[in-house]
Every structure is written in C-alpha cells, then in structure tokens.
Amino acid sequence: MKLPLMLDSVEIVSRDNGSYVDGSWVEGSTTTSASIKANVQRASKQEIQRLPEGFRSQEILKVFLPASADVDLLINDTVSPAPSFIIYNSNTYAIISSEKWNHLLPHWCLLVVDRNPT
C-alpha cells in the first residue's frame, strides 16, 4: 500500500544490551535500519505538558511510521537498558513512547525527544 503522507526520511537505530567484560562496561552493538519514509510532526503543547518535567525543555516530535516498518524491537513496556532511537535531519532522538494504531490506516506512532539538546 502506498502512503502519500509519509514524506520525511528517518533511520531507526536499535542497540543490543551491553555487558561487563573483564570488569569493564562494553556497550552493545547497534543496528541501523535503512532509511524509512515517515511523517514527522512537532508534539502539541498538550502532549508536551503530559511528559515528565525533564523532557519539557527539549525538542519533542511525533513520528508516524507505516505498520510494515520493523519496529518490534522498539516496543517494550519497561525501561530498556539499551533504548532504541531515531535519526532525523542528522539529529538523534530517543524514543519515549510508541503505539501501534490499527485504525483507518495502520501505522506506528512514536513520541521522541532530542538526545542532544543545544
């Protein structure tokens, strides 16, 4: 199915859990998806207001991905020690929530926050 409203390109980066090796922490390996077409929008004032206080001063975006996007690794109801993130316009965004919507046009809705605020 062709999705005409998916205009922006994003990459999804997932990270394996790290571990201690000989007493030193070693980060897990990362896997970057191919570029995925997405609809990226700024979060509304109401959505930002519902976030914990530490996020409110950072850039918050909503990313809508097609249901066919391989985002199963991103979905976790608990805090992951190695969270996945999105790369959009050369900026890195942490995924703070995700939902799969199966309404008129099935898709993923991700709420992301800038990992490197200026």
Side-chain angles (χ1 to χ4, degrees), residues 26-60:
V26 177
E27 291 289 338
S29 62
T30 59
T31 305
T32 304
S33 72
S35 184
I36 299 173
K37 292 295 182 185
N39 182 295
V40 180
Q41 303 174 9
R42 295 207 180 273
S44 70
K45 291 178 183 178
Q46 293 83 5
E47 290 167 323
I48 293 171
Q49 193 67 29
R50 289 191 293 258
L51 293 174
E53 194 167 316
F55 292 124
R56 294 182 195 163
S57 62
Q58 298 171 357
E59 182 179 28
I60 309 291

Side-chain angles (χ1 to χ4, degrees), residues 61-118:
L61 300 175
K62 290 191 298 188
V63 179
F64 297 94
L65 298 169
S68 61
D70 187 17
V71 294
D72 290 336
L73 296 175
L74 306 178
I75 309 310
N76 193 344
D77 291 335
T78 61
V79 176
S80 171
S84 298
F85 49 94
I86 295 281
I87 298 175
Y88 171 65
N89 281 347
S90 301
N91 291 336
T92 304
Y93 296 87
I95 299 169
I96 56 177
S97 73
S98 57
E99 297 178 60
K100 187 168 186 181
W101 294 358
N102 289 315
H103 302 296
L104 298 174
L105 184 62
H107 61 282
W108 289 101
C109 178
L110 308 177
L111 198 58
V112 299
V113 62
D114 193 350
R115 287 181 58 180
N116 303 310
T118 55

